[in-house]
Amino acid sequence: MKEILVKAPATTANLGPGFDVFGMALEHPSDKVRITLIPKGLEIKVHGPAKGEIPTDPERNTAGVVAKEVLKAFSLGTGLRIEIEKGILPGVGLGSSAASAAAVAFGLNVLFNLEMDRKDLTRMAMKGEVVSAGFEHADNVSAAIYGGFVIVKSYRPLEIIHLEHPKNLHVAVAIPKVPVPPKKTMKARSVLPKEVPMRKLVHNVGHAAALAAGFAIGDVDLIGRSMLDVVVEPARASLVPGYREVREKALEAGACGVALSGAGPSMIAVVNALEVDASKVAEAMREGFESAGLSAEAFCTRPGRGVHVLEENP
Ligand code: HSE
């Protein structure tokens, strides 16, 4: 039977000042997605601990939405079974929906030899984000497709810049155990200011430019110091109990910078691995959430590769 198994990484978006612009793929965790050709219909199955939280109706599942887009765009008259082994918790700000979307666009591209390049794949996978965020934001999906660090320079036309990451950049992640409200990303976008004062714009442009420069010259400290956002995070901080405590603890433990991961509630810290052990920072972040009365899962990882094939049965 014609099928493919692909692996797509978790991603962190925004990195502070780069709202809807910066994305970074993580080595861990990841989703595995198996796509099998069947005579007709679109079946979605989800495996893993988060199984019950993910809709299997193709209209409401990001992978289903993307599969339909690809089938339509290339007039592929086939049915599909999509089995998602969810390694990435949904709704915590680690690009769970983007990983499944990227995996399906990428997997179908390989299975049918559709010759979409990485930007075409991003364009397809972005359509899935509407289901969870209400907007086709490309920061998570492009990071899941390109791997490493990406800059969504513009949406119309779509232009993505892909940069390598410094090898000594490690990432500490803390995921608080809080109930995730339905349509969390949509809600976290609804609290954002509609207008931005000029001084905040100047701050964020300066920090975003410096952060990108940090990746270009391989300076982890500069990347971390530039992760300070004065527009989006202050508006979202009240949605994340422990935000301030986690920030403080991570910096005290030696992180170069801290930010909400995407729309949260997870938080990430960038660590210079030549100087500090990222697992100590992760532990400090867990304690930060704990001091605010929340238990949390914390771990360290590093930037990782984009979506890729694990097995193929052509
Ligand atoms: N840039 C998006 C947001 C990422 O912050 O709403 C969502 O994961």
Side-chain angles (χ1 to χ4, degrees), residues 13-14 18-22 93-95 129 133 137 139-140 155 184-185 188-189 192 232 236 261-264:
N14 304 342
F19 176 70
D20 282 357
V21 168
F22 292 154
L94 290 173
E129 293 290 38
H137 64 94
D139 40 6
N140 292 100
Y155 277 78
K184 176 221 71 184
T185 303
R189 294 177 81 87
L192 302 182
V232 172
R236 285 177 168 173
S261 185

Coordinates of all heavy atoms in Angstrom, one line a residue, residues 13-14 18-22 93-95 129 133 137 139-140 155 184-185 188-189 192 232 236 261-264, ligand 1:
A13 N 7.2 30.2 18.4 CA 7.0 31.3 17.6 C 7.2 32.6 18.4 O 7.1 32.6 19.6 CB 5.6 31.3 17.0
N14 N 7.5 33.7 17.7 CA 7.6 35.1 18.2 C 9.0 35.3 18.7 O 9.6 36.4 18.5 CB 6.5 35.4 19.2 CG 5.1 35.2 18.7 OD1 4.9 35.1 17.5 ND2 4.1 35.2 19.5
G18 N 9.2 39.2 17.7 CA 8.9 38.9 16.3 C 7.5 38.2 16.2 O 7.4 37.2 15.6
F19 N 6.5 38.9 16.7 CA 5.1 38.4 16.6 C 4.8 38.1 15.1 O 4.8 38.9 14.2 CB 4.2 39.4 17.1 CG 2.7 39.1 17.0 CD1 2.2 38.0 17.8 CD2 1.9 39.7 16.2 CE1 0.9 37.7 17.7 CE2 0.5 39.3 16.1 CZ 0.0 38.3 16.8
D20 N 4.4 36.8 14.9 CA 4.0 36.3 13.6 C 5.1 36.4 12.6 O 4.9 36.2 11.3 CB 2.8 37.1 13.0 CG 1.5 36.6 13.6 OD1 1.4 35.7 14.4 OD2 0.4 37.2 13.2
V21 N 6.4 36.6 13.0 CA 7.5 36.8 12.1 C 8.6 35.8 12.4 O 9.1 35.2 11.5 CB 8.1 38.3 12.3 CG1 9.4 38.4 11.6 CG2 7.1 39.3 11.7
F22 N 8.9 35.6 13.7 CA 10.0 34.7 14.0 C 9.5 33.3 14.4 O 8.5 33.2 15.1 CB 10.9 35.1 15.2 CG 11.7 36.4 15.0 CD1 12.0 37.2 16.0 CD2 12.1 36.7 13.7 CE1 12.8 38.4 15.8 CE2 12.9 37.9 13.5 CZ 13.2 38.7 14.5
G93 N 1.3 26.1 23.0 CA 2.2 27.1 22.4 C 3.5 26.5 21.8 O 4.5 27.2 21.6
L94 N 3.4 25.3 21.5 CA 4.6 24.6 20.9 C 4.4 24.1 19.4 O 5.0 23.2 19.0 CB 5.1 23.5 21.8 CG 5.8 23.9 23.1 CD1 6.1 22.7 24.0 CD2 7.0 24.8 22.9
G95 N 3.4 24.8 18.8 CA 3.2 24.5 17.4 C 2.7 23.1 17.0 O 3.0 22.5 16.0
E129 N -3.7 26.7 9.9 CA -3.7 27.5 11.2 C -4.9 28.3 11.4 O -5.2 28.7 12.5 CB -2.5 28.5 11.1 CG -1.1 27.8 11.2 CD -0.8 27.2 12.5 OE1 -1.7 26.7 13.2 OE2 0.4 27.3 13.0
A133 N -6.1 29.3 15.0 CA -5.8 30.7 15.3 C -6.7 31.7 14.7 O -6.7 32.9 15.1 CB -4.3 31.0 14.9
H137 N -1.2 32.4 10.2 CA 0.1 32.9 10.6 C 1.2 31.8 10.2 O 0.9 30.6 10.3 CB 0.2 33.2 12.1 CG 0.0 32.1 13.0 ND1 1.0 31.3 13.5 CD2 -1.1 31.5 13.5 CE1 0.5 30.4 14.3 NE2 -0.8 30.5 14.3
D139 N 4.6 31.7 11.1 CA 5.8 31.5 11.8 C 6.0 30.1 12.3 O 7.1 29.5 12.1 CB 5.8 32.5 13.0 CG 4.5 32.6 13.8 OD1 3.5 31.9 13.4 OD2 4.4 33.5 14.7
N140 N 5.0 29.4 12.8 CA 5.2 28.0 13.3 C 5.4 27.1 12.1 O 6.3 26.2 12.0 CB 4.0 27.5 14.1 CG 4.0 28.2 15.5 OD1 3.2 29.1 15.6 ND2 4.8 27.7 16.4
Y155 N 4.1 38.6 4.3 CA 3.0 37.6 4.1 C 2.5 37.8 2.6 O 2.1 36.8 2.0 CB 1.8 37.8 5.1 CG 2.1 37.1 6.4 CD1 3.0 37.6 7.3 CD2 1.5 35.9 6.6 CE1 3.2 37.0 8.5 CE2 1.8 35.2 7.8 CZ 2.6 35.8 8.8 OH 2.9 35.1 9.9
K184 N -7.7 28.6 22.0 CA -6.8 29.3 22.9 C -6.0 30.4 22.1 O -5.9 31.6 22.5 CB -5.8 28.4 23.5 CG -4.7 29.1 24.3 CD -3.4 28.5 24.2 CE -2.8 28.8 22.8 NZ -1.5 28.1 22.6
T185 N -5.5 30.0 20.9 CA -4.7 31.0 20.2 C -5.6 32.2 19.7 O -5.1 33.4 19.8 CB -4.0 30.4 19.0 OG1 -3.2 29.3 19.5 CG2 -3.1 31.3 18.2
A188 N -5.9 34.4 22.6 CA -4.7 35.1 23.0 C -4.4 36.2 21.9 O -3.7 37.1 22.2 CB -3.5 34.1 23.0
R189 N -5.0 36.1 20.8 CA -4.8 37.1 19.8 C -5.9 38.2 20.0 O -5.6 39.4 19.6 CB -5.0 36.5 18.3 CG -3.8 35.6 18.0 CD -4.0 35.0 16.6 NE -3.6 35.8 15.5 CZ -2.4 35.9 15.0 NH1 -1.4 35.1 15.5 NH2 -2.1 36.7 14.1
L192 N -4.8 41.4 22.0 CA -3.7 42.2 21.6 C -4.1 43.7 21.2 O -5.3 43.9 20.7 CB -3.0 41.6 20.3 CG -2.5 40.2 20.6 CD1 -1.8 39.6 19.4 CD2 -1.6 40.1 21.8
V232 N 3.3 42.6 22.6 CA 2.4 41.4 22.6 C 2.4 40.8 24.0 O 1.4 40.5 24.6 CB 2.7 40.4 21.5 CG1 2.0 39.1 21.6 CG2 2.4 41.1 20.1
R236 N -0.5 39.7 26.9 CA -0.8 38.3 27.2 C -0.4 37.8 28.6 O -0.9 36.7 29.0 CB -0.1 37.4 26.1 CG -0.8 37.5 24.8 CD -0.1 36.7 23.7 NE -0.9 36.5 22.5 CZ -0.4 36.0 21.4 NH1 0.8 35.5 21.4 NH2 -1.2 35.9 20.3
S261 N 6.2 31.2 24.6 CA 6.3 30.4 23.4 C 5.0 30.6 22.6 O 4.0 30.1 23.0 CB 6.6 29.0 23.7 OG 6.8 28.3 22.5
G262 N 5.1 31.3 21.5 CA 3.9 31.5 20.7 C 2.9 32.2 21.5 O 3.2 33.2 22.2
A263 N 1.7 31.7 21.5 CA 0.6 32.3 22.2 C 0.5 31.8 23.7 O -0.4 32.1 24.4 CB -0.7 32.0 21.5
G264 N 1.6 31.0 24.1 CA 1.6 30.5 25.5 C 0.7 29.3 25.6 O 0.0 28.9 24.7
Ligands
HSE1 N1 2.4 34.2 16.2 C1 1.3 33.4 16.7 C2 0.7 34.1 17.9 C3 1.9 32.1 17.2 O1 1.5 34.6 18.8 O2 -0.5 34.2 18.0 C4 0.8 31.1 17.7 O3 1.4 29.9 18.0

